Amino acid sequence: MKLNHDGPRWLNIFHFASPLQFYPLAGKLVPIFAVLAALLAIVGLWLGFAIAPADAQQGEGYRIIFLHVPTSWMAMFIYIVMAFWSIMHLVWRTRLSAMMAQALAPTGALMAFLSLFTGALWGKPMWGTWWVWDARLTSMLLLFFLYLGFIALTRSIDEPDRADKAGSVLAIVGVFNVPVIYFSVKWWNTLHQGASISMEKGSTMVATMLIAMLLMSLAAWMYSIATALSRVRTLILLREGRTRWVQELIAGGKA
């Protein structure tokens, strides 16, 4: 059966695989996601730090979870998305897919760092120590190093095609650490508490806490999208600098 390509171009999923087509789209989406991230974060922080009640066992110190949990979720999710784009790059050889993975990596590294940092702030009053070689903490630390390794690897290779391929392979191999992080509290006897929100048992949090957590998670998601889109625009300009359309953008001051 012959496919009809006469319909709207945006219906073709490969239309925006071209840097030429994706660059202006990303430029339009960045401010939208940035504003959403700011608004969601403001409301989420207000609910989490000012409105939500103190925890019965952990007191006021538990409030760090409104930063810790969303950043932990995003650190894992971003790496999965990086692996997805890496597979897309290796299968279809789309340049934009590799650039998307590279654009996500710094934000993923930031989220992993914030997860570890806020976890240490939470662990000191709860466990009496800043760090333990707990299965969850150790696997999250490994994820942070995987992000740093991906960034270092892709930037150390001068030839873009080789850098894209090497980064894609590392992202795909490293993604197997993500389920280890998620299931570590079930597979091993760890100090880290189990999930307060799960598909099987629902939520054990009061409504205000749950809403604050979800808003902060959405804020982290919107922020990650905004920064990745902004960064991929920069990568497109660097990688496509010799093309006519990029030179015209720069000459016209529209880059």
Side-chain angles (χ1 to χ4, degrees):
M1 186 176 79
K2 184 178 179 180
L3 296 177
N4 182 9
H5 297 286
D6 296 332
R9 290 182 300 173
W10 58 268
L11 289 177
N12 185 352
I13 61 174
F14 291 103
H15 174 69
F16 291 108
S18 166
L20 170 62
Q21 304 298 334
F22 189 77
Y23 183 86
L25 174 65
K28 296 176 181 178
L29 294 177
V30 168
I32 296 175
F33 286 108
V35 170
L36 287 174
L39 293 176
L40 289 166
I42 291 172
V43 178
L45 288 172
W46 173 67
L47 284 176
F49 285 85
I51 303 301
D55 185 76
Q57 296 179 332
Q58 302 179 25
E60 299 291 344
Y62 89 98
R63 297 185 191 277
I64 196 69
I65 68 170
F66 295 116
L67 296 174
H68 176 67
V69 174
T71 54
S72 300
W73 286 346
M74 286 310 304
M76 293 186 287
F77 182 70
I78 288 175
Y79 206 94
I80 294 174
V81 177
M82 284 174 54
F84 166 79
W85 285 119
S86 297
I87 294 172
M88 293 284 287
H89 169 68
L90 293 179
V91 173
W92 282 288
R93 306 299 299 171
T94 52
R95 291 170 297 163
L96 184 61
S97 298
M99 285 188 275
M100 283 299 301
Q102 293 170 28
L104 284 163
T107 302
L110 173 64
M111 293 295 172
F113 171 78
L114 290 176
S115 172
L116 293 167
F117 180 73
T118 54
L121 293 179
W122 178 82
K124 178 60 176 177
M126 302 305 162
W127 298 341
T129 181
W130 298 102
W131 177 267
V132 292
W133 290 102
D134 179 271
R136 172 65 63 83
L137 274 66
T138 304
S139 52
M140 179 59 75
L141 180 63
L142 176 59
L143 180 65
F144 177 59
F145 287 147
L146 283 169
Y147 276 121
L148 296 183
F150 178 91
I151 295 170
L153 178 63
T154 53
R155 293 184 181 181
S156 65
I157 301 175
D158 294 331
E159 186 179 340
D161 290 341
R162 289 180 57 236
D164 292 346
K165 185 176 181 179
S168 296
V169 172
L170 178 58
I172 295 170
V173 172
V175 78
F176 291 100
N177 182 54
V178 174
V180 174
I181 299 173
Y182 184 81
F183 292 108
S184 58
V185 295
K186 297 182 180 180
W187 291 347
W188 294 286
N189 183 22
T190 69
L191 289 176
H192 202 286
Q193 70 181 55
S196 298
I197 304 174
S198 66
M199 296 295 292
E200 298 85 3
K201 300 179 181 179
S203 173
T204 60
M205 306 174 69
V206 299
T208 309
M209 295 180 183
L210 177 61
I211 294 173
M213 182 76 73
L214 294 178
L215 288 176
M216 290 301 296
S217 298
L218 287 173
W221 200 347
M222 297 300 103
Y223 170 82
S224 299
I225 295 174
T227 55
L229 290 176
S230 177
R231 197 174 291 114
V232 79
R233 280 167 56 87
T234 302
L235 289 175
I236 289 174
L237 293 179
L238 292 174
R239 298 279 291 271
E240 306 289 316
R242 295 184 179 180
T243 60
R244 181 178 178 181
W245 71 271
V246 170
Q247 293 177 356
E248 290 177 351
L249 279 177
I250 296 175
K254 298 179 181 180

